[in-house]
PDB file of all heavy atoms in Angstrom:
ATOM      1  N   LEU A 167      51.399 -22.764 -21.401  1.00 91.00           N
ATOM      2  CA  LEU A 167      51.597 -22.301 -22.763  1.00 91.00           C
ATOM      3  C   LEU A 167      50.258 -21.875 -23.362  1.00 91.00           C
ATOM      4  O   LEU A 167      49.318 -22.631 -23.420  1.00 91.00           O
ATOM      5  CB  LEU A 167      52.226 -23.437 -23.620  1.00 91.00           C
ATOM      6  CG  LEU A 167      52.410 -23.096 -25.105  1.00 91.00           C
ATOM      7  CD1 LEU A 167      53.374 -21.970 -25.316  1.00 91.00           C
ATOM      8  CD2 LEU A 167      52.853 -24.376 -25.879  1.00 91.00           C
ATOM      9  N   LEU A 168      50.216 -20.599 -23.820  1.00 88.00           N
ATOM     10  CA  LEU A 168      49.054 -20.081 -24.524  1.00 88.00           C
ATOM     11  C   LEU A 168      49.386 -19.982 -25.993  1.00 88.00           C
ATOM     12  O   LEU A 168      50.397 -19.453 -26.416  1.00 88.00           O
ATOM     13  CB  LEU A 168      48.693 -18.696 -23.962  1.00 88.00           C
ATOM     14  CG  LEU A 168      48.162 -18.602 -22.560  1.00 88.00           C
ATOM     15  CD1 LEU A 168      49.312 -18.450 -21.557  1.00 88.00           C
ATOM     16  CD2 LEU A 168      47.208 -17.367 -22.414  1.00 88.00           C
ATOM     17  N   VAL A 169      48.514 -20.579 -26.830  1.00 85.00           N
ATOM     18  CA  VAL A 169      48.760 -20.577 -28.269  1.00 85.00           C
ATOM     19  C   VAL A 169      47.691 -19.630 -28.910  1.00 85.00           C
ATOM     20  O   VAL A 169      46.614 -19.474 -28.348  1.00 85.00           O
ATOM     21  CB  VAL A 169      48.649 -22.001 -28.883  1.00 85.00           C
ATOM     22  CG1 VAL A 169      49.731 -22.887 -28.282  1.00 85.00           C
ATOM     23  CG2 VAL A 169      47.263 -22.601 -28.646  1.00 85.00           C
ATOM     24  N   PRO A 170      48.043 -18.987 -30.017  1.00 77.00           N
ATOM     25  CA  PRO A 170      47.209 -17.991 -30.594  1.00 77.00           C
ATOM     26  C   PRO A 170      46.029 -18.585 -31.398  1.00 77.00           C
ATOM     27  O   PRO A 170      45.800 -18.275 -32.586  1.00 77.00           O
ATOM     28  CB  PRO A 170      48.158 -17.184 -31.526  1.00 77.00           C
ATOM     29  CG  PRO A 170      49.197 -18.195 -31.933  1.00 77.00           C
ATOM     30  CD  PRO A 170      49.342 -19.108 -30.698  1.00 77.00           C
ATOM     31  N   GLU A 171      45.292 -19.541 -30.752  1.00 70.00           N
ATOM     32  CA  GLU A 171      44.135 -20.108 -31.397  1.00 70.00           C
ATOM     33  C   GLU A 171      43.051 -20.157 -30.363  1.00 70.00           C
ATOM     34  O   GLU A 171      43.342 -20.436 -29.192  1.00 70.00           O
ATOM     35  CB  GLU A 171      44.408 -21.532 -31.947  1.00 70.00           C
ATOM     36  CG  GLU A 171      45.389 -21.516 -33.084  1.00 70.00           C
ATOM     37  CD  GLU A 171      45.640 -22.940 -33.651  1.00 70.00           C
ATOM     38  OE1 GLU A 171      44.873 -23.812 -33.230  1.00 70.00           O
ATOM     39  OE2 GLU A 171      46.602 -23.135 -34.359  1.00 70.00           O
ATOM     40  N   ALA A 172      41.844 -19.838 -30.738  1.00 57.00           N
ATOM     41  CA  ALA A 172      40.793 -19.769 -29.725  1.00 57.00           C
ATOM     42  C   ALA A 172      40.011 -21.082 -29.687  1.00 57.00           C
ATOM     43  O   ALA A 172      39.906 -21.784 -30.697  1.00 57.00           O
ATOM     44  CB  ALA A 172      39.818 -18.654 -30.114  1.00 57.00           C
ATOM     45  N   SER A 173      39.545 -21.456 -28.478  1.00 55.00           N
ATOM     46  CA  SER A 173      38.665 -22.585 -28.291  1.00 55.00           C
ATOM     47  C   SER A 173      37.298 -22.107 -27.914  1.00 55.00           C
ATOM     48  O   SER A 173      37.112 -21.245 -27.022  1.00 55.00           O
ATOM     49  CB  SER A 173      39.202 -23.460 -27.153  1.00 55.00           C
ATOM     50  OG  SER A 173      40.490 -24.029 -27.501  1.00 55.00           O
ATOM     51  N   ILE A 174      36.304 -22.565 -28.623  1.00 55.00           N
ATOM     52  CA  ILE A 174      34.919 -22.125 -28.362  1.00 55.00           C
ATOM     53  C   ILE A 174      34.236 -23.106 -27.413  1.00 55.00           C
ATOM     54  O   ILE A 174      34.173 -24.290 -27.693  1.00 55.00           O
ATOM     55  CB  ILE A 174      34.084 -22.055 -29.701  1.00 55.00           C
ATOM     56  CG1 ILE A 174      34.816 -21.060 -30.670  1.00 55.00           C
ATOM     57  CG2 ILE A 174      32.681 -21.631 -29.429  1.00 55.00           C
ATOM     58  CD1 ILE A 174      34.153 -20.971 -32.014  1.00 55.00           C
ATOM     59  N   THR A 175      33.802 -22.606 -26.281  1.00 50.00           N
ATOM     60  CA  THR A 175      33.155 -23.432 -25.249  1.00 50.00           C
ATOM     61  C   THR A 175      31.779 -22.805 -24.961  1.00 50.00           C
ATOM     62  O   THR A 175      31.510 -21.657 -25.362  1.00 50.00           O
ATOM     63  CB  THR A 175      34.011 -23.468 -23.979  1.00 50.00           C
ATOM     64  OG1 THR A 175      34.001 -22.139 -23.390  1.00 50.00           O
ATOM     65  CG2 THR A 175      35.474 -23.855 -24.315  1.00 50.00           C
ATOM     66  N   PRO A 176      30.956 -23.543 -24.254  1.00 53.00           N
ATOM     67  CA  PRO A 176      29.614 -22.947 -23.854  1.00 53.00           C
ATOM     68  C   PRO A 176      29.813 -21.637 -23.079  1.00 53.00           C
ATOM     69  O   PRO A 176      28.895 -20.810 -23.029  1.00 53.00           O
ATOM     70  CB  PRO A 176      29.005 -24.067 -23.018  1.00 53.00           C
ATOM     71  CG  PRO A 176      29.649 -25.305 -23.528  1.00 53.00           C
ATOM     72  CD  PRO A 176      31.048 -24.974 -23.901  1.00 53.00           C
ATOM     73  N   ALA A 177      30.922 -21.523 -22.382  1.00 47.00           N
ATOM     74  CA  ALA A 177      31.102 -20.318 -21.537  1.00 47.00           C
ATOM     75  C   ALA A 177      31.693 -19.149 -22.358  1.00 47.00           C
ATOM     76  O   ALA A 177      31.828 -18.042 -21.854  1.00 47.00           O
ATOM     77  CB  ALA A 177      32.063 -20.669 -20.386  1.00 47.00           C
ATOM     78  N   GLY A 178      32.009 -19.397 -23.648  1.00 47.00           N
ATOM     79  CA  GLY A 178      32.554 -18.321 -24.500  1.00 47.00           C
ATOM     80  C   GLY A 178      33.791 -18.772 -25.231  1.00 47.00           C
ATOM     81  O   GLY A 178      34.137 -19.933 -25.311  1.00 47.00           O
TER      82      GLY A 178
END
Side-chain angles (χ1 to χ4, degrees):
L167 175 65
L168 293 85
V169 297
E171 295 181 13
S173 297
I174 301 177
T175 68

